[in-house]
Amino acid sequence: MAGYQNLDVLIVGAGFSGVYHLNKLRKAGFSVKVFEAGGSLGGVWYWNCYPGARVDSDFSLYQFSLEELWRDWNWTESFPGRQEILEYFKYVDKKLDLSRDISFNTRVTSASFNTTTNRWSVFTDTGVTVNPRFLVLCTGFASKPLFPDIPGLDTFQGAVHHTSLWPQAGLNMAGKRVGVIGTGASGIQVIQEAGATAAHLTVFQRTPNFAFPMVKHPVSVATQTQMKKEMYPILFRRREQTFSGLEYDFVRRGLFHKMSPEERYLLLNDLWSKGGFRYWFATYEELLTDEKVNDEVYTFWRNKVLERVRDPEMQRKLAPEKAPHPFGTKNISLETSYYEVFNQPNVVLVDLNENPIIEATMKGLKTRDGVVHELDVLAFATGFDALTGGITQIEIKGTDGTAIGDMWKQGVSTYLGMTASGCPNMFFSYGPQAPTAFCNGPTVLALQQEAQGDWIVDCLFYLRQHKYTRIDATREASAAWVQRVGDIFSSTLLDRAKSFYTGANVPGKRIEPLNFAGGLPLYINLIQKSAQDRYAGFTLT
């Protein structure tokens, strides 16, 4: 580990963001290493080995925009599965020779800033300590899983696994009685797989997911060869022009009220038929601000779901007449056969609002109506302490010795969604108060994280060029950024939903805007403006 001492930069995490930073920083001449808790490259995809794990972004944008990488790589499906994504990481590793600078199976547990040396002291679960000048956290927005508090869970004799901590060797659900708590993205994917093989499936739902069709299909090498001639560069440039970083964008503001009902129906039907997130991010720009627009989009969605679900009680639970929250204000997932699963006679759907889980028993889960739902396998698809949890689970102490988790209990405070005042020389990507969750994650990996990665690398280059050894966001700039994030958020319908967008999914967590809801173009413009103004909002010494 001698080469890990007195580094210029230590990166935490070897997913898309960590890989991008490592490659860029090495090319810029910095000494840099990566600590990764998992056993190989992939970040969230190393851990997401549950049945049915699949990306919800189109293949063309679920990759790095470096031509040296996409030129020789071909995907097999429009929405790649987990195994193919891991193969992509192996390919990237071989192309860029990444692993030589990565320490796998090494979890960072704490870090503290030394104001005398202007370096971080970083500690790990392997006993290794390093002292980098700069610390870059690429821990992802969903790396701290949440577990439900169920009395008696330790008495249950079946298998219990969180989707983010699924056995790497897999778990066969065929012929077994399976229970799934949660209907977010991973829950939907597990439910689809279990529905096809389990003897019996019980789904425990708190809030219905407004899921829509993925429309997955094979992709030929010939198609991709043609796309690489012209389309790929266009798609990569297009990302910077749209709210979500996808190749499509909202219909221009004002057109909803000028269109006839027939025009609006045909537009929504076209978006629905094409699949992906078009039915969310290519609808009307007023979707998240105008209740009339939102109601119409929800009604169309509901009618489409009712066509696929036969049982009236299932219809009521999966697509209620009155939406539990405005459409698009809580994370939406893509599906391939989700609603058809609930037409099967061996599938039960428990509404936890009407019939909550009281306790676990040796045989399964007991609900308030007295029924014991007997299970062999219990899957927790219960989400994460998102956006902040990946950072605060590390005991990071800044200049005053206060842990960042304690600092943020009174309210998350960042500057530009990449730095925290009082934690000099520390940066984070794909985290709180950036566009993170309001853009499709994988595309953000390729755009927000490339935009943030480029910004961070350029910043470090500027500091080196001007012989600065320390950079820290000012409290005033941070307060202004928090205010901007809050003002944009409060101008929408987003605060009408209880979601991880605000931390409402975590018991006891402060509810506040955790995402920049102004879209990627505005965000990129703002962070570039700071850099152009010689890193306005920071103190450089």
Side-chain angles (χ1 to χ4, degrees), residues 283-295:
T283 55
Y284 308 100
E285 191 172 352
E286 299 96 328
L287 175 68
L288 298 178
T289 57
D290 188 319
E291 288 192 54
K292 181 180 179 181
V293 174
N294 197 282
D295 288 344

Side-chain angles (χ1 to χ4, degrees), residues 409-428:
K409 283 181 180 178
Q410 304 306 313
V412 175
S413 177
T414 78
Y415 181 47
L416 305 180
M418 289 187 286
T419 63
S421 181
C423 293
N425 295 2
M426 186 182 82
F427 304 87
F428 42 85

Side-chain angles (χ1 to χ4, degrees), residues 249-268:
D249 206 358
F250 291 119
V251 174
R252 192 169 68 251
R253 183 174 294 275
L255 285 182
F256 173 87
H257 298 286
K258 296 178 181 179
M259 297 169 70
S260 68
E262 293 76 17
E263 286 179 301
R264 297 200 299 265
Y265 178 91
L266 291 172
L267 170 64
L268 295 180

